[in-house]
Amino acid sequence: MNRSQALARVGIAAVVASAGVLARADIAWAKADPADFAQNCTSCHTIGGGRLTGPDLKDVSKRRSREWLERFISDPSRMLESGDPTVTELYKTHNNVIMPAIAGMTTQRIEEFLELIDAESALPKSRFAGSQLINRPLLPSDVADGEALFLGKSRLKNGGPSCISCHSVGGMSWLGGGFLGPDLTLAFSRLGGEKASAAWLVSPGSPMMKPLFAGRALNPQEILPLVAYLKDAAQRGRPADSIARLSFLVIGLLGAAALFVVLDSRWGDRLRSVRRAMVNKTDSAEDANV
């Protein structure tokens, strides 16, 4: 190695080191709480890890204006309803899914999130590059394990409620699942595939699921089976039967009727006897006044 080559290598090393120092400095300047960003954003977005349910956010500030990003993050639905062409195009290309509004979002919080995204985008590999859970093919045994978790036959290790409490999928029993949440038959396709579904399950972003699983996150070993079960449900493509809702309604009405019969058999005579005594007393008083 001659002297000029050695100087060149030293120069390159200095530039690389400077870039690293500057990138780390950007991280230090970013005020956003990484845990807050992870909880609210990483179920749908990565920074440098590719598209999930939403687009990859790496260098998003170079693709969109600051003013546009602030308006969109503050109220995505309003932007879509206003006919904004960029939001409309994103909505079409992301399976007609619009980003939900983040609770408690403020202008300062938006600025801190954008600063964090800019800082992470400058790194060779962001900590928000995405889940690495999907690193092997999904097996038929995963589908069976996922079904047991979904139906509550296997309890979730961290104590979260089973999926059937609020959701249903096609091909379940004639009673179906819960109706508090949406039918998940096509959730796998709607979320965008294996990686996006896994990211969603790691950190559910819906207003209903977020508090339910706060502190009771799914165990990493439960993610793959649930993804496999949702994928299998989507491939079968049969939505939850409407007969399940009718069966649930009929059983509820019959149960209520049976309950009234039981209550009447135990308490009916007492109520009627009390009322009879009151009627007789009233009749006696009226006869005395005649």
Side-chain angles (χ1 to χ4, degrees):
M1 180 185 301
N2 57 37
R3 183 177 181 182
S4 60
Q5 289 175 325
L7 289 173
R9 289 194 175 187
V10 171
I12 293 172
V15 170
V16 171
S18 299
V21 169
L22 290 174
R24 292 297 171 190
D26 285 342
I27 292 293
W29 295 335
K31 298 177 182 177
D33 180 2
D36 186 23
F37 181 84
Q39 183 178 13
N40 288 285
C41 305
T42 55
S43 60
C44 296
H45 300 283
T46 71
I47 300 179
R51 167 182 162 176
L52 297 179
T53 306
D56 187 343
L57 296 180
K58 185 177 178 65
D59 294 328
V60 67
S61 294
K62 297 178 181 178
R63 302 193 299 272
R64 316 285 182 214
S65 71
R66 191 81 168 190
E67 186 270 340
W68 186 94
L69 288 170
E70 291 176 354
R71 286 195 300 121
F72 177 72
I73 297 172
S74 65
D75 196 339
S77 295
R78 179 180 294 181
M79 287 277 284
L80 178 64
E81 292 169 359
S82 71
D84 182 277
T86 303
V87 178
T88 302
E89 181 64 24
L90 288 171
Y91 181 70
K92 292 179 179 177
T93 56
H94 289 79
N95 301 319
N96 295 337
V97 175
I98 186 67
M99 188 179 93
I102 300 176
M105 184 56 74
T106 63
T107 301
Q108 180 178 351
R109 198 171 167 208
I110 293 173
E111 292 176 354
E112 291 174 354
F113 273 17
L114 291 177
E115 289 176 1
L116 179 65
I117 294 170
D118 288 344
E120 291 288 334
S121 297
L123 296 175
K125 183 176 177 59
S126 167
R127 78 189 95 172
F128 304 113
S131 171
Q132 304 300 315
L133 289 172
I134 301 295
N135 55 5
R136 66 168 174 79
L138 300 176
L139 306 173
S141 59
D142 290 326
V143 178
D145 293 342
E147 182 179 18
L149 290 169
F150 191 98
L151 299 180
K153 296 178 180 177
S154 297
R155 296 182 64 83
L156 298 175
K157 293 181 179 177
N158 292 329
S162 59
C163 310
I164 196 175
S165 304
C166 299
H167 300 283
S168 186
V169 296
M172 295 179 64
S173 66
W174 60 283
L175 274 178
F179 303 125
L180 290 176
D183 184 334
L184 297 184
T185 305
L186 301 179
F188 179 84
S189 304
R190 191 165 59 245
L191 289 172
E194 296 177 5
K195 191 175 181 180
S197 299
W200 175 264
L201 291 171
V202 168
S203 180
S206 72
M208 182 68 76
M209 291 184 67
K210 187 180 296 183
L212 281 176
F213 285 88
R216 297 184 292 181
L218 291 170
N219 185 285
Q221 295 178 351
E222 296 165 341
I223 300 292
L224 279 181
L226 285 172
V227 170
Y229 181 64
L230 292 177
K231 182 179 182 180
D232 181 69
Q235 289 174 339
R236 284 185 278 113
R238 191 177 70 181
D241 297 329
S242 58
I243 193 67
R245 290 178 180 270
L246 180 61
S247 301
F248 191 82
L249 176 62
V250 170
I251 290 177
L253 292 175
L254 291 175
L259 179 62
F260 281 124
V261 170
V262 171
L263 291 176
D264 184 70
S265 66
R266 291 184 59 86
W267 301 100
D269 291 342
R270 176 179 294 185
L271 292 175
R272 279 191 284 272
S273 63
V274 171
R275 186 172 183 276
R276 171 53 58 192
M278 295 175 65
V279 171
N280 291 338
K281 185 176 181 180
T282 301
D283 290 344
S284 299
E286 290 177 349
D287 292 342
N289 294 329
V290 172

